[in-house]
Amino acid sequence: MIPPQHTRFKKGQSGNPRGRPRKREDLNTVLHRVLNRKVRTKDDDQTMPIRDALMWKLRDLALQGDKQAIALQQRIIEEAGIADPNAHSPEEKARRVLRNIRRMEKRAARKDPTHE
């Protein structure tokens, strides 16, 4: 069945004049862009990514005895697997991946009661 003449698209006119909306950036994309931006350090005339500058600042605060900085630095080291000599073994990587998958499945099950 052909639609009525008055409801058809006009010749040369788009059926979607505004076009497809742009994809919203997720938090990880924004975070990577911000942390990779270069900044100039106070002491030197060198530039480094913000993520590096933050890690140096955290290190300085921890060395000065800031308890929160020490705790945060320990947590980062643990999660990065730097403190554990077996952290980079293939077996440990596989265990960590499986643990993370199980954790994500549990979260998904809590959010969606129909998810089994």
Side-chain angles (χ1 to χ4, degrees):
M1 181 171 184
I2 300 173
Q5 183 70 35
H6 72 279
T7 62
R8 294 184 200 170
F9 292 125
K10 309 295 182 259
K11 202 169 198 133
Q13 180 182 4
S14 170
N16 188 4
R18 291 189 197 158
R20 182 178 183 165
R22 289 185 176 195
K23 179 183 171 194
R24 292 185 74 185
E25 290 184 327
D26 63 341
L27 183 59
N28 281 339
T29 305
V30 174
L31 190 59
H32 279 283
R33 186 178 55 232
V34 169
L35 292 178
N36 286 330
R37 209 178 97 224
K38 302 255 183 183
V39 291
R40 187 173 305 280
T41 58
K42 276 186 179 180
D43 303 337
D44 305 326
D45 273 344
Q46 72 182 50
T47 59
M48 66 174 66
I50 290 175
R51 101 174 12 135
D52 293 359
L54 287 172
M55 292 307 295
W56 281 104
K57 183 64 177 176
L58 180 62
R59 177 189 149 268
D60 291 344
L61 289 172
L63 288 173
Q64 291 173 7
D66 185 324
K67 291 182 185 194
Q68 286 181 328
I70 293 170
L72 179 57
Q73 193 172 38
Q74 285 175 340
R75 183 172 163 209
I76 290 170
I77 288 170
E78 286 171 8
E79 289 194 20
I82 298 169
D84 185 7
N86 296 326
H88 299 292
S89 71
E91 297 83 14
E92 181 57 32
K93 283 183 182 180
R95 277 194 292 269
R96 191 177 309 136
V97 168
L98 289 173
R99 216 175 18 246
N100 287 337
I101 289 172
R102 285 188 203 109
R103 197 176 302 143
M104 288 188 299
E105 287 173 343
K106 285 180 185 177
R107 284 186 198 143
R110 279 187 295 213
K111 289 180 183 177
D112 183 14
T114 61
H115 180 75
E116 290 289 318

